[in-house]
Amino acid sequence: MTRMTLRSRALGAVSALAVATLITAGAASAQTTNATIRGTVYEGDAPENGGEVVARETATGFSYRGRINADGSYALVGVRPGSYAITATTADGQVATDVVSVGVAQSASLDLSVGAVTGAVSDDATDVGDIVVTGRRLVEVRTPENSTNVTLQQIQTLPQINRNFLNFAALAPGVRVSQNEQEVTISAGGQRAEAINAFIDGASLKSNVISGGIQGQDDSRGNPFPQAAIGEFRIITQNFKAEYEQASSAIITAITRSGTNEFHGEIFGAYRDQDFIEQDVFSRRRNQTEADLEVQQYGAALGGPIIQDRLHFFGSYEHKQENRAATVNLGRQTPAYQTQFAQYIGTFATPFEEDLFFGKLSFQAAEGHLFDLSVTYRDEADTTGVGGANSIERASGLQQTTKSAQLRYQWQGEGFVNEASIDYRDYNYNPTASNFDTRGASFRIFETGYDPFGGVSILNIGGSGSRQNITDWTMTFRDDLTFTDIDFHGSHTLKMGVKFSAQNYVVDKEFGRNPEFFFDLNGTASGNAAVPYRVQLGNRFPTVDLDNNVYGLYIQDDWRLTDQLEINLGIRWDYEDNANNVDYVTPANVLTGLNQWIASTDGGKPAGYKPSWFNVNDYISTGSNRDAYAKAFQPRIGFSYDVFGDRETVIFGGAGRYYDRVNFNFAFDEVAKGGDFTRNAFFSTTGRPAGVANGGPTDPILWQASYFTAAGLDPVLNNIPARGEAFLLKNDFEPPRTDQFNLGLRQRFGDWQTEFTLAYGKTENEFTWQYLNRCREPNAPNDGDGFGDNGGFCSPGGTNPYRTYLVSDHSKEREFTALYVKLDKNYTRESGWGLNVAYTWADSQQNGGDDNFCFDCFSVATSPMRNSPNNEHHRIVANGIVDLPAGFQLSGILTLGSGTPFNVFDGTGSRFYYRPSGAYPEQDNFIIPAAFAYRNLDLRLTKSIDLWDAGELQLYVDAINVFDFYNYSGFNGDKGSPNFGNPSSVLFPTRTLQFGARYSF
């Protein structure tokens, strides 16, 4: 099936589904971002029977309605985050009113009492008729979820240096954001970044092909979405409901900003350069010159009415430009080499640029009918691969582009809300050598004797040899239907939904496809310094174009048994029809070569030996014996109990099963890796002619200048034997699965909301590639967290069609235990300050390797359980805002961690043991003596200047890692060395200052 055919069919299918939904039930935005407001309407102590509750958004005039049930309860569902005037009108005409704010995906509680004024008058008061009411943010207490909301105020006020709203996910307990200047990835619950899913306006950002978890984050120093367009977001780390899909550790769900009945806009910019950045301690010790750097970030946003109370617009643009410089130095500072290569030595610009666009229209055609249409465009370009011995000619350009659009429509009927969306997304990942058509040249010397595949690189010029072009295209239809007026042994809010996503993945990879010639500057290897002694050229991978259809169904019942007890019951089912190459046919030479290796004595193994865990029939696909996994049923249950019925003390908990997915990159390996090989030919001025000499290091080919051309070189390389690697997926494997359990307590103390949660997660079926070519069963057991004997490696002999056989293993497990503590006193203008503290105690264990391979495993199932790489036992993240005199405001984020483990290479006993994540770094002081290996305090000082009727100007300075704490990495893991545990690098960032301004009206 061609890509165009898939898109045409997908568009037709989605259109038909959308039309059918509009005719039968209506449609609109996914419920993963909208809020629910529940409560009871009273007269005195008695609940009212009958009537209506209306929520009118104060900024837009959009309205939501719900019925007052016989027990006085009501529910408003599908509510966009924002501020609302809530009016309850009883059956006998009495009225109660309040003004409140709700956050993204919240299930908030609000009781109303007719005949009473709700709240107290404040500076934020809103005049509704003859009653003055107060706007305040509702607190979410009756939910089994463990979640943290990050508000627009926090996004705009807290310090950061790259305008990526995902940085603030670290404010939630149990969540880690990578300290890496080259990319931002998020992990939670002791799992890898790939276990995360993020939603913006209900549309998933899950990366389907490559790693990183969130699309566009792998290898990118850019941002996935314009921060100015984000209104608020929520991180859910435990017990997320059945409406959320394809995540086993945490969910991030964000809502975009919308236009209002008044014009609002902003213009902003921030700047820093190398003079504002403290050089790290190791660079100073090496007397290393600080690299040039200039970072500019700027943009604008504007929103307002087109038709009052009906049609609004919002748009934003952001630009990020990093003018970096890379220094090219020779591998050895020999004067003769410096003269010979002077034109290549120096400092060269390696810029990064990103443009982000977002536009949105919101239209309430009539009360109860709300449309949203939004578009997003992301384009970024990065220059990499330059520096050290790599000249500017070796540069590679990383291009990433995302185009997306979404149409949403919400219909509120009598006792129900139907929401649906159509999401389009086209993502392209395209790292490409800048001079792919210019042959590469590597100039080397041999200081300890000739090594045909070694030597010291003095300079590498010409083009790099690799490029990739990966496209991840999706068209997704969702429909969510919610019934609110169901009374049966209490009140029920019943949600159900369906998802269909047509997906197409195109992967085109070329590694080492630009020929690279190697020169010995002393002329010894080939007999002449101007004659290359070796050339290498990789084989082209086949292009893989695969279609995959994803289906999802769920039903969720939020059952309020009494005014104090609520039970949440749900089940979800997900299905992908081609995640595991269901139509793939294993090439005949793979089976032939596999049987040949088993029967052989290659590498000294016994004839007929294969690892005891291997069954060849589990991995050979005939094109009809591989089924898509259809048992991904995910039951989820939660509860919340308001102990005294006053929403002050709430016990909550739950359990659930969550299935994730396997990235298509692994299925690609099975199809394409057989062609992953590189040919090397050796030359000399005294060698034998091509066709006579075998071209190996000891029998080089007589050099001819025509070999610098494709016409001359190709016939030579075609006669050089080369073998690829065979990757075999296990037939009918089960995708990764996590079972989560949590139990917690929420307690309010005045203005403070506290939360204490015990959390547990058990992950199974995680994907790993492991070697099949073992020599024997293990002859030494594991030593605690140390890997025992792996059976050795007996590679296939020279007559075998493949050099290695790797098979997928699905026995990798993780176990996560944690205590989450949250202390929240939210900022208000009246109090002038706010403080939020998140503490995590955690223990995360796993078997297998750290990434998608386990070369040290005989089998993953028999590998030791040991620390996960991110197993930090104690972590504190506190953020606060405080108003100061004269229009100043101070905000900050303090992060303290006990430290993550590093790998240990233990040769101190009778045998060597590799102990991954086997030791922890030394800890330093911060208030508590010797408690923290990671310490970081970021501050922002803002001065607000009122421009009267022209708006407000804010000037600010960010001080990142203000105390310049040395947060070390690169620890020496050699247990027998006197330098064991000593670091060799520091984590990003060192102390950094950034200056910025924001004008808003």
Side-chain angles (χ1 to χ4, degrees):
M1 179 183 296
T2 67
R3 185 175 172 192
M4 261 339 254
T5 301
L6 171 73
R7 294 189 178 187
S8 300
R9 291 179 59 187
L11 286 167
V14 169
S15 299
L17 285 167
V19 170
T21 302
L22 292 172
I23 292 173
T24 58
S29 64
Q31 291 175 280
T32 52
T33 56
N34 289 339
T36 298
I37 303 174
R38 290 197 191 95
T40 303
V41 180
Y42 294 95
E43 182 177 7
D45 294 329
E48 284 287 343
N49 181 0
E52 183 181 57
V53 176
V54 178
R56 183 178 183 274
E57 190 174 14
T58 57
T60 65
F62 296 171
S63 298
Y64 301 85
R65 295 178 181 271
R67 183 171 65 87
I68 302 174
N69 299 313
D71 61 354
S73 66
Y74 72 92
L76 300 171
V77 301
V79 179
R80 297 199 314 182
S83 295
Y84 289 87
I86 311 291
T87 302
T89 305
T90 66
D92 58 1
Q94 298 187 79
V95 176
T97 307
D98 203 350
V99 175
V100 297
S101 296
V102 292
V104 59
Q106 274 192 317
S107 181
S109 299
L110 175 66
D111 291 341
L112 298 165
S113 182
V114 296
V117 176
T118 307
V121 178
S122 77
D123 294 338
D124 295 327
T126 301
D127 193 354
V128 181
D130 295 328
I131 305 174
V132 177
V133 294
T134 302
R136 68 190 187 285
R137 188 177 180 90
L138 292 181
V139 177
E140 182 179 36
V141 293
R142 290 182 176 177
T143 175
E145 294 179 341
N146 193 271
S147 59
T148 300
N149 278 53
V150 180
T151 66
L152 178 61
Q153 181 186 52
Q154 289 173 300
I155 294 172
Q156 293 182 340
T157 303
L158 293 176
Q160 65 161 330
I161 56 174
N162 58 9
R163 290 193 61 82
N164 188 338
F165 77 95
L166 293 175
N167 288 329
F168 298 123
L171 303 183
V175 177
R176 297 182 58 87
V177 177
S178 63
Q179 280 87 38
N180 186 339
E181 193 176 13
Q182 305 303 317
E183 64 182 18
V184 175
T185 57
I186 301 169
S187 60
Q191 300 187 51
R192 299 177 62 217
E194 287 69 30
I196 291 277
N197 200 353
F199 299 85
I200 294 182
D201 289 339
S204 172
L205 300 186
K206 187 83 169 184
S207 179
N208 295 316
V209 180
I210 58 179
S211 60
I214 297 172
Q215 193 175 77
Q217 290 300 97
D218 189 43
D219 297 332
S220 172
R221 59 182 100 183
N223 303 328
F225 200 82
Q227 179 171 289
I230 295 294
E232 182 173 336
F233 72 99
R234 177 182 179 93
I235 311 104
I236 312 173
T237 54
Q238 281 278 317
N239 206 30
F240 33 98
K241 295 181 181 179
E243 57 201 288
Y244 296 103
E245 83 245 17
Q246 292 187 335
S248 56
S249 64
I251 292 289
I252 298 173
T253 180
I255 190 79
T256 58
R257 295 169 65 183
S258 301
T260 67
N261 279 333
E262 296 183 358
F263 287 100
H264 292 281
E266 59 180 300
I267 301 172
F268 53 85
Y271 178 87
R272 70 180 185 275
D273 61 32
Q274 74 276 1
D275 294 332
F276 303 154
I277 302 172
E278 191 76 21
Q279 193 173 24
D280 73 83
V281 60
F282 296 103
S283 297
R284 291 201 302 269
R285 289 175 186 173
R286 294 189 296 264
N287 294 318
Q288 186 172 324
T289 302
E290 192 168 7
D292 292 338
L293 171 67
E294 182 184 62
V295 180
Q296 303 173 25
Q297 300 174 91
Y298 54 85
L302 179 66
I306 298 175
I307 303 174
Q308 289 280 333
D309 292 339
R310 288 295 181 90
L311 180 61
H312 305 92
F313 77 93
F314 181 84
S316 72
Y317 165 73
E318 295 192 28
H319 178 80
K320 181 179 182 180
Q321 182 165 334
E322 296 188 10
N323 299 315
R324 294 178 177 268
T327 301
V328 177
N329 285 314
L330 301 182
R332 293 290 184 268
Q333 303 303 312
T334 304
Y337 299 155
Q338 290 176 332
T339 300
Q340 180 180 354
F341 299 117
Q343 62 178 313
Y344 300 102
I345 302 171
T347 300
F348 301 87
T350 55
F352 168 86
E353 287 192 71
E354 181 183 51
D355 292 293
L356 296 167
F357 299 86
F358 174 76
K360 181 179 181 180
L361 290 174
S362 301
F363 177 48
Q364 183 168 258
E367 187 172 298
H369 298 270
L370 177 61
F371 293 84
D372 279 309
L373 174 64
S374 62
V375 294
T376 307
Y377 179 73
R378 171 191 181 186
D379 182 60
E380 69 174 53
D382 197 3
T383 302
T384 62
V386 182
N390 286 338
S391 72
I392 188 63
E393 293 180 348
R394 280 294 175 101
S396 289
L398 174 56
Q399 296 280 153
Q400 296 199 74
T401 304
T402 303
K403 294 175 283 188
S404 62
Q406 184 182 65
L407 174 64
R408 298 175 290 151
Y409 170 52
Q410 182 184 68
W411 178 23
Q412 298 178 61
E414 185 66 32
F416 74 88
V417 174
N418 195 82
E419 306 176 292
S421 65
I422 300 173
D423 305 322
Y424 162 81
R425 186 180 69 184
D426 189 352
Y427 168 68
N428 182 248
Y429 173 82
N430 184 211
T432 300
S434 301
N435 298 293
F436 193 78
D437 297 326
T438 303
R439 67 175 183 263
S442 179
F443 297 93
R444 303 193 173 199
I445 61 172
F446 301 96
E447 296 178 328
T448 58
Y450 174 59
D451 178 355
F453 292 97
V456 177
S457 293
I458 301 300
L459 181 68
N460 301 314
I461 65 173
S464 178
S466 300
R467 58 185 176 186
Q468 301 180 63
N469 192 1
I470 297 174
T471 299
D472 181 352
W473 181 93
T474 65
M475 180 71 78
T476 302
F477 167 78
R478 300 172 186 269
D479 187 75
D480 299 280
L481 178 62
T482 304
F483 294 99
T484 58
D485 294 346
I486 301 176
D487 292 320
F488 179 76
H489 296 288
S491 61
H492 299 256
T493 300
L494 188 66
K495 305 178 185 178
M496 58 195 71
V498 59
K499 165 194 169 181
F500 168 73
S501 182
Q503 302 182 354
N504 175 250
Y505 318 136
V506 179
V507 180
D508 187 8
K509 296 185 179 183
E510 298 181 70
F511 293 149
R513 284 295 298 153
N514 185 30
E516 181 168 17
F517 292 86
F518 294 80
F519 297 82
D520 175 9
L521 287 172
N522 295 319
T524 304
S526 66
N528 187 328
V531 172
Y533 66 88
R534 175 166 66 98
V535 65
Q536 69 176 19
L537 182 65
N539 187 54
R540 181 178 174 85
F541 284 50
T543 299
V544 178
D545 186 335
L546 181 137
D547 299 332
N548 182 33
N549 295 314
V550 182
Y551 304 84
L553 299 170
Y554 77 89
I555 186 168
Q556 175 83 35
D557 183 13
D558 297 333
W559 180 12
R560 185 180 179 185
L561 282 84
T562 69
D563 188 49
Q564 294 174 258
L565 177 63
E566 181 173 312
I567 295 178
N568 310 96
L569 304 170
I571 188 168
R572 182 176 186 90
W573 176 76
D574 289 302
Y575 175 78
E576 298 187 55
D577 67 8
N578 198 19
N580 59 341
N581 290 339
V582 292
D583 298 325
Y584 178 72
V585 177
T586 305
N589 69 342
V590 171
L591 181 57
T592 300
L594 190 56
N595 288 330
Q596 177 184 328
W597 176 80
I598 293 172
S600 75
T601 58
D602 291 342
K605 78 177 190 67
Y609 172 77
K610 58 181 175 55
S612 55
W613 48 262
F614 178 70
N615 181 350
V616 66
N617 294 324
D618 291 340
Y619 294 90
I620 302 303
S621 178
T622 64
S624 59
N625 66 334
R626 184 177 283 185
D627 297 323
Y629 188 73
K631 299 179 182 178
F633 293 97
Q634 302 154 76
R636 302 173 189 182
I637 183 172
F639 77 94
S640 60
Y641 179 65
D642 188 348
V643 176
F644 304 108
D646 56 3
R647 297 183 175 85
E648 298 286 319
T649 306
V650 176
I651 300 171
F652 65 94
R657 171 161 289 184
Y658 305 87
Y659 273 98
D660 206 343
R661 68 184 310 277
V662 173
N663 286 342
F664 174 65
N665 233 5
F666 302 123
F668 170 83
D669 288 343
E670 181 181 49
V671 176
K673 279 286 192 175
D676 179 17
F677 55 82
T678 299
R679 287 186 169 96
N680 285 270
F682 287 81
F683 305 105
S684 80
T685 57
T686 59
R688 297 191 295 168
V692 178
N694 64 24
T698 60
D699 190 11
I701 297 169
L702 179 65
W703 171 254
Q704 296 183 31
S706 63
Y707 296 156
F708 276 137
T709 69
L713 183 62
D714 284 347
V716 173
L717 292 177
N718 289 339
N719 290 322
I720 302 295
R723 298 179 294 164
E725 298 178 299
F727 283 69
L728 292 88
L729 282 178
K730 192 171 186 178
N731 297 327
D732 307 332
F733 67 81
E734 183 178 349
R737 179 190 71 224
T738 298
D739 293 326
Q740 290 187 359
F741 306 87
N742 73 318
L743 180 65
L745 171 69
R746 294 188 183 97
Q747 179 63 57
R748 191 166 187 85
F749 298 97
D751 292 335
W752 287 86
Q753 180 71 45
T754 67
E755 183 175 290
F756 306 85
T757 307
L758 292 171
Y760 175 81
K762 175 73 171 180
T763 301
E764 298 177 312
N765 308 325
E766 198 169 309
F767 189 99
T768 303
W769 287 119
Q770 68 176 27
Y771 279 135
L772 174 62
N773 303 122
R774 295 303 182 189
C775 306
R776 62 183 183 277
E777 299 297 293
N779 57 24
N782 299 325
D783 182 60
D785 61 354
F787 279 77
D789 180 54
N790 63 10
F793 182 71
C794 289
S795 61
T799 61
N800 198 288
Y802 296 94
R803 69 179 187 268
T804 308
Y805 291 85
L806 295 99
V807 298
S808 70
D809 184 279
H810 307 271
S811 303
K812 190 172 182 177
E813 298 181 355
R814 297 178 187 268
E815 193 166 5
F816 179 74
T817 307
L819 168 66
Y820 298 151
V821 177
K822 296 200 313 180
L823 310 173
D824 296 322
K825 190 277 177 189
N826 291 326
Y827 172 88
T828 63
R829 280 190 294 175
E830 292 87 347
S831 67
W833 69 281
L835 178 64
N836 308 91
V837 181
Y839 166 75
T840 304
W841 172 88
D843 183 62
S844 177
Q845 301 290 310
Q846 68 168 81
N847 62 0
D850 288 344
D851 54 20
N852 302 316
F853 293 85
C854 190
F855 299 130
D856 297 286
C857 296
F858 171 74
S859 71
V860 174
T862 60
S863 64
M865 289 295 290
R866 41 80 175 192
N867 289 326
S868 296
N870 57 2
N871 188 20
E872 187 173 51
H873 292 311
H874 302 278
R875 191 169 184 84
I876 300 170
V877 181
N879 72 93
I881 303 170
V882 59
D883 292 336
L884 302 174
F888 284 94
Q889 185 181 73
L890 181 67
S891 63
I893 302 175
L894 172 66
T895 305
L896 303 171
S898 58
T900 55
F902 59 90
N903 296 334
V904 174
F905 306 92
D906 186 0
T908 59
S910 59
R911 61 168 287 122
F912 174 83
Y913 286 99
Y914 170 53
R915 304 182 188 277
S917 303
Y920 282 86
E922 291 185 3
Q923 297 169 332
D924 293 312
N925 303 328
F926 190 91
I927 303 175
I928 303 173
F932 304 110
Y934 183 86
R935 302 164 298 166
N936 191 84
L937 176 61
D938 301 336
L939 296 176
R940 171 177 288 187
L941 182 64
T942 303
K943 167 63 175 177
S944 297
I945 303 171
D946 188 0
L947 302 180
W948 300 280
D949 293 336
E952 182 182 65
L953 175 65
Q954 291 183 332
L955 305 175
Y956 65 85
V957 57
D958 288 321
I960 306 300
N961 192 2
V962 65
F963 293 131
D964 197 29
F965 288 125
Y966 298 155
N967 295 309
Y968 293 115
S969 62
F971 297 97
N972 186 319
D974 183 357
K975 194 169 184 181
S977 168
N979 295 319
F980 176 73
N982 289 346
S984 60
S985 57
V986 297
L987 294 171
F988 170 82
T990 56
R991 180 165 54 217
T992 302
L993 299 180
Q994 176 176 263
F995 295 91
R998 176 175 178 263
Y999 166 69
S1000 60
F1001 63 91

